[in-house]
Amino acid sequence: MVTELFPGVDAIYSTYLQVPSTSQVDTPGSTHRWHILDNHEELQQRGIDPVGTLLCVHGNPTWSYLWRSLLNHVSAHSLPWRVVAVDQLDMGFSERTGTFRRLADRVNDLGDLTGALGLTGKVTTVGHDWGGIISLGWAVSHQEQLENVVLTNTAIHPAGFELPAALKLASHPAVHSWGTKTSPAFLRVTHSLAQPALAPEVRKAFMAPYTSAAKRDGVANFVADIPFSPEHPSRPALDEISQAVRSLKVPALMLWGPKDPVFSDRYLRDLLSRLPHAQVHRFEGSSHLVGEDNDIAAPIFQWLAGEKESRNTSRAESLGDYRPMLAELDSRTNDHSAAVVDINPARSLSWAELGERVNALATGLRQIGVKAGDRVNLLVPPGIELTSLIYACLRLGAVIVVADAGLGAKGMGRAIKGSGPRFLIGIERALTGARLFGWPGTRISADNLPAAKRKLLGVAHTLPELYAAGGKAATGSSAFEPADPDADAAVLFTSGSTGPAKGVVYTHRQLAAMRDTLRETYNLKAGSALVAGFAPFALLGPALGATSVTPDMDVTAPRTLTATALADAAAAVHATTVFASPAALANVLETKDALDQVQRKTLEGVSLMLSAGAPIPEPLLAKVQELVPQAKVHTPYGMTEALPVTDIDLPGIRTAGQGNGVCVGTAVAGATVAIAPIDALGVAGDKPEFTPNATGEILVRAPHVKDRYDRLWITEQHSSSIPGWHRTGDVGHLDDQGRLWVEGRLGHVLRTATGAITPVAAEHAAEAVAGAGRAALVGVGPDGIQAAVVVMETVPPARKPGPASSELARQVRSAVAATGTDVAAVLVVPNLPTDIRHNSKIDRAALAGWAAATLAGGRIRNP
């Protein structure tokens, strides 16, 4: 029978031992009674020889209870790992020594303990909070035993930062004693940081060792020992350890809660500057007690099992020899034809001028310290300025970070902080956001600013200054070292339509492969002229040798593209190709009556129309075709992680006809598509298959698939868990002709009593009913017995959300039944929630929660 000492802790793990002290603050010959949680006895009972030991060190004001999930994971899975979670002296259930123990003493104490335990094998240190620096102190002095380093929210050095507000208050002389010792305030505040809140019994367990002021001496002393000032007695030990950490070459894993008000992302960035090889996973929405907010045990042991490499090492072969992204620009230094054009205000640069501008800006950036590998966040609208910045950064080998306003203010801030740029270049509005929200990076203004405003926004440089300084140096492309093809080149962010936007890292080779795929698939040869109504093409136009222009629109709000703006942009470059999102094209069609005869004639000259970002109904494409009668209308399927993946044109869509999902055609040049079939609960397998009509997760293999997700190690491990393939998270099937049909997102699959149901076929059936607009099929209820609910727009729009009329509900149920799905309820809304960037992807997860609340009764709100 298992006896729990505390919730989740088997009594067999609790161990006390007397440890001789070698600390200078103790009397020679002293011993101290330590408490640890140790699974050594359990491993012996099971006859398991450990392959190594996890030495887990808590911070302030927790104790070894913090690491119970690691002990339980080892036990549940019979893993060959010993876990030793310590209670530091004066903390947890270890002895109260009556002595103020500083950082150096605590590192020494930990060495005394491991010596007494006789740990002779390989050790993985695991640290949290101030246990992080203590565990690293042990690591640098025991490198012969050290095998790995694992860190959760911690700090290795002040790194020039002020004391966080919470610690500043706790360390203030007027508050310190009361807040940390006399009362349990410091403990309660720390426990309140959990996201979600700790269960009452868990909160009680964390409080258990600290039930009186006498037992909280260590809590108070820990706070007093924070060495933020250079004069602090513990500062020399901190400096020594933080510098020595740079010498550690063992694998490292950092698991982080970005909402931590104490050890925020700035400390993560500092740690990465010292351990640049570390793998990182940021748990968006999590805070200081990241191990309480999330399951960190499973990823830690997955990582220890050897899955430490996040790069996808088995890729499809490239279409040809690697050609740098700047190769086309460098080949046209004497070309005075237009390369890039701005509409508002009207402005253009020739290829020769663009090349000179890129080199001048690269030189100016280099002079202020931008170097290869530095991350540079670009918060500048598409156009000449952004194009120049992109290629100047690529010239230097700097990594461009593109987190646009299409993510929304909250999403953009999350993305910028998560990517941790060293420099931030933006327009005034972006710089204001950086100042208000504390976005990282040396600030560079896109324009000159008055001195007072420049000081207020914390602007260190301006682009006009950098251009001027770089232009005086008169450097050519040969003055720059070519970028390593396999070094990071860009961090691009997903739309955030299926959760927080994810940073997607591309290397120079992968960006070049994306360019080559587009060139080969659509014959985008040098000399093409491109209207880029979709932000990513601002990056690719010059690399393709295509003259490019962005229409007069807000590219972060696709519905702002009008027909006249599109025509005027096309006229400015005699466009052969147009790329716009479905939402943008929908507004173009709604405003087409404003076109004059000249503008219509301009659009008739377009030979290729591309649209991606969401499925496009055939009737909408047919109307687009009428607007550009000479163009081949294509709808590539892809994602931020791989653009494009497949392609289909309007005749192909018509030939495919109706089916289970949206037909997105066949794989583009260099790409291969496979399916990982799903089971009855919608869980995808781990083997690529090409069997016709088998529904499953869509897998992609191509030279232009992303390198990895940025600082999302767990997410990346899942996405690349099938070697050589990217798991897209979409579901679909291949038909008998090898065409791919997308049936929805894996997370949107309904898990009903009759099996897994993908949503798209039912949604199409519902949308075919008279008076119906867009529809979403969502599951309500527990997995395995979910009920199917249709949430839909109507024509004309419903005035308020609620149940559909009995007649509409009857027709929808009848239409959907033909697809094999029984609908439990039909709800109508004025507007379905969609993603910010594309204004097209329906947020089915939000709708499922809303539908569940609506059907449960009570007030009906808009989703």
Side-chain angles (χ1 to χ4, degrees):
M1 178 179 177
V2 173
T3 303
E4 287 195 328
L5 183 69
F6 289 95
V9 177
D10 190 332
I12 195 175
Y13 300 142
S14 180
T15 302
Y16 289 89
L17 68 160
Q18 289 293 133
V19 177
S21 174
T22 63
S23 175
Q24 293 182 1
V25 298
D26 291 325
T27 304
S30 297
T31 65
H32 294 302
R33 189 170 187 256
W34 286 70
H35 175 254
I36 63 174
L37 298 179
D38 186 356
N39 67 345
H40 182 60
E41 183 179 341
E42 183 182 57
L43 292 176
Q44 287 184 319
Q45 290 178 359
R46 295 187 176 188
I48 297 175
D49 292 325
V51 296
T53 300
L54 273 66
L55 179 62
C56 307
V57 189
H58 67 85
N60 189 28
T62 56
W63 57 287
S64 55
Y65 185 69
L66 184 73
W67 307 111
R68 65 195 181 282
S69 67
L70 302 183
L71 291 154
N72 293 332
H73 190 89
V74 168
S75 179
H77 298 279
S78 298
L79 300 178
W81 287 94
R82 183 178 181 183
V83 178
V84 177
V86 309
D87 282 0
Q88 299 193 59
L89 292 176
D90 303 322
M91 301 291 287
F93 290 99
S94 286
E95 179 182 328
R96 272 40 180 179
T97 65
T99 304
F100 194 114
R101 313 189 81 79
R102 297 200 177 276
L103 173 60
D105 302 317
R106 293 194 174 280
V107 173
N108 188 79
D109 292 341
L110 189 57
D112 289 344
L113 174 67
T114 58
L117 287 171
L119 295 184
T120 57
K122 290 296 184 180
V123 174
T124 294
T125 58
V126 184
H128 174 255
D129 189 87
W130 289 107
I133 181 71
I134 293 165
S135 70
L136 288 171
W138 185 95
V140 297
S141 60
H142 293 77
Q143 295 197 43
E144 72 286 353
Q145 282 185 269
L146 186 68
E147 186 168 33
N148 307 287
V149 166
V150 177
L151 295 168
T152 61
N153 289 53
T154 187
I156 188 71
H157 201 275
F161 304 128
E162 290 186 2
L163 193 68
L167 292 180
K168 187 180 292 185
L169 178 63
S171 61
H172 192 280
V175 176
H176 176 254
S177 181
W178 173 85
T180 61
K181 181 177 178 179
T182 306
S183 82
F186 188 72
L187 287 101
R188 296 191 187 281
V189 169
T190 301
H191 300 159
S192 72
L193 297 176
Q195 305 280 337
L198 297 175
E201 63 273 17
V202 172
R203 188 186 296 265
K204 184 178 179 181
F206 272 119
M207 293 289 288
Y210 307 111
T211 53
S212 69
K215 293 180 179 179
R216 292 192 286 266
D217 256 345
V219 174
N221 291 346
F222 247 124
V223 173
D225 195 44
I226 300 171
F228 265 80
S229 71
E231 300 79 22
H232 193 283
S234 285
R235 189 58 175 263
L238 180 75
D239 290 341
E240 181 181 350
I241 295 169
S242 60
Q243 184 61 35
V245 163
R246 299 181 186 277
S247 69
L248 297 180
K249 304 303 179 185
V250 297
L253 175 67
M254 300 178 191
L255 302 176
W256 214 262
K259 290 182 68 176
D260 189 343
V262 182
F263 299 124
S264 57
D265 273 326
R266 64 189 186 185
Y267 297 106
L268 173 61
R269 293 192 293 273
D270 177 64
L271 277 167
L272 285 172
S273 74
R274 300 169 193 274
L275 294 169
H277 60 283
Q279 301 289 358
V280 178
H281 187 88
R282 297 172 68 257
F283 292 93
E284 285 292 354
S286 295
S287 187
H288 181 65
L289 297 175
V290 64
E292 297 296 320
D293 298 349
N294 306 274
D295 172 17
I296 64 169
I300 285 175
F301 285 104
Q302 180 187 8
W303 182 79
L304 290 171
E307 300 180 31
K308 301 174 183 176
E309 187 60 52
S310 68
R311 289 178 181 249
N312 202 339
T313 54
S314 178
R315 298 189 176 277
E317 291 185 7
S318 298
L319 296 173
D321 293 337
Y322 169 70
R323 189 169 184 250
M325 289 286 285
L326 284 146
E328 189 67 34
L329 184 61
D330 290 343
S331 71
R332 302 177 77 165
T333 54
N334 296 315
D335 188 338
H336 298 284
S337 63
V340 59
V341 175
D342 282 352
I343 293 294
N344 186 19
R347 182 186 176 201
S348 68
L349 287 182
S350 70
W351 289 97
E353 290 169 330
L354 178 60
E356 291 173 1
R357 188 174 178 82
V358 165
N359 291 338
L361 181 53
T363 301
L365 288 169
R366 184 167 61 183
Q367 289 173 348
I368 65 168
V370 181
K371 61 184 183 302
D374 284 345
R375 293 187 170 193
V376 182
N377 188 21
L378 304 180
L379 297 174
V380 177
I384 287 174
E385 211 67 86
L386 180 60
T387 300
S388 301
L389 282 166
I390 288 171
Y391 284 87
C393 288
L394 292 175
R395 174 76 79 201
L396 287 171
V399 183
I400 60 173
V401 177
V402 183
D404 61 63
L407 298 176
K410 185 177 180 181
M412 184 167 66
R414 210 162 37 204
I416 294 169
K417 288 183 177 180
S419 59
R422 185 162 174 249
F423 296 87
L424 184 151
I425 305 175
I427 57 175
E428 184 177 331
R429 184 174 62 177
L431 296 171
T432 302
R435 179 71 174 181
L436 286 174
F437 302 114
W439 296 343
T442 299
R443 293 174 202 151
I444 302 170
S445 174
D447 305 297
N448 284 322
L449 294 172
K453 183 167 287 186
R454 178 168 175 164
K455 182 178 180 180
L456 177 66
L457 297 179
V459 171
H461 310 280
T462 70
L463 287 186
E465 292 171 355
L466 299 183
Y467 280 124
K472 289 178 182 177
T475 54
S477 59
S478 61
F480 302 91
E481 286 291 324
D484 177 356
D486 296 310
D488 293 351
V491 182
L492 312 178
F493 281 84
T494 62
S495 65
S497 60
T498 56
K502 297 183 287 291
V504 177
V505 180
Y506 279 90
T507 64
H508 291 268
R509 189 185 303 278
Q510 289 154 355
L511 282 182
M514 184 191 300
R515 172 203 63 199
D516 296 343
T517 296
L518 286 166
R519 184 191 64 225
E520 294 303 314
T521 301
Y522 301 110
N523 196 32
L524 291 173
K525 304 294 186 183
S528 302
L530 170 68
V531 177
F534 189 56
F537 272 73
L539 186 154
L540 292 164
L544 287 162
T547 302
S548 55
V549 59
T550 300
D552 186 9
M553 65 178 292
D554 180 354
V555 294
T556 67
R559 291 184 185 276
T560 60
L561 179 62
T562 64
T564 54
L566 177 63
D568 290 345
V573 295
H574 305 290
T576 57
T577 303
V578 172
F579 196 113
S581 74
L585 289 180
N587 196 57
V588 166
L589 293 174
E590 289 178 11
T591 57
K592 64 184 175 69
D593 291 343
L595 292 169
D596 61 28
Q597 194 61 37
V598 173
Q599 290 169 326
R600 289 181 182 276
K601 192 70 175 176
T602 296
L603 292 178
E604 288 176 5
V606 174
S607 58
L608 177 65
M609 170 68 76
L610 301 172
S611 185
I616 309 177
E618 187 275 338
L620 176 64
L621 278 182
K623 292 179 181 178
V624 171
Q625 182 72 82
E626 293 173 3
L627 198 62
V628 286
Q630 304 304 315
K632 294 180 180 178
V633 179
H634 287 252
T635 62
Y637 158 73
M639 57 219 67
T640 308
E641 298 88 339
L643 180 70
V645 172
T646 67
D647 177 72
I648 193 169
D649 59 13
L650 181 56
I653 291 172
R654 288 169 171 163
T655 299
Q658 297 297 312
N660 181 17
V662 176
C663 184
V664 294
T666 54
V668 297
T672 305
V673 175
I675 301 295
I678 58 174
D679 62 18
L681 286 177
V683 178
D686 57 5
K687 294 181 64 176
E689 295 187 13
F690 302 90
T691 307
N693 303 310
T695 291
E697 184 176 10
I698 298 169
L699 311 177
V700 181
R701 179 183 176 92
H704 61 281
V705 169
K706 53 91 176 148
D707 189 69
R708 65 191 186 281
Y709 288 115
D710 187 45
R711 300 177 184 177
L712 292 169
W713 183 84
I714 298 170
T715 307
E716 175 57 31
Q717 288 304 295
H718 172 74
S719 79
S720 58
S721 61
I722 304 175
W725 296 88
H726 169 64
R727 306 187 79 127
T728 66
D730 288 337
V731 287
H733 68 274
L734 298 167
D735 65 16
D736 293 330
Q737 284 76 45
R739 296 172 299 200
L740 177 65
W741 294 72
V742 178
E743 301 177 41
R745 290 286 296 171
L746 192 61
H748 300 156
V749 173
L750 282 68
R751 294 157 176 83
T752 73
T754 57
I757 297 175
T758 55
V760 173
E763 292 168 352
H764 284 177
E767 291 166 353
V769 171
R774 294 182 301 174
L777 184 75
V778 298
V780 173
D783 285 356
I785 55 170
Q786 285 185 333
V789 176
V790 171
V791 185
M792 62 192 301
E793 298 172 344
T794 57
V795 181
R799 295 177 58 188
K800 59 182 181 180
S805 68
S806 57
E807 179 56 23
L808 178 59
R810 184 192 64 78
Q811 291 185 44
V812 169
R813 283 192 176 95
S814 176
V816 175
T819 69
T821 299
D822 294 326
V823 174
V826 180
L827 303 174
V828 297
V829 293
N831 291 287
L832 292 172
T834 59
D835 67 294
I836 297 173
R837 178 182 287 170
H838 299 294
N839 300 145
S840 303
K841 297 179 180 178
I842 297 170
D843 191 342
R844 291 176 177 82
L847 281 177
W850 173 83
T854 298
L855 295 172
R859 184 179 176 185
I860 301 175
R861 304 177 183 272
N862 279 312

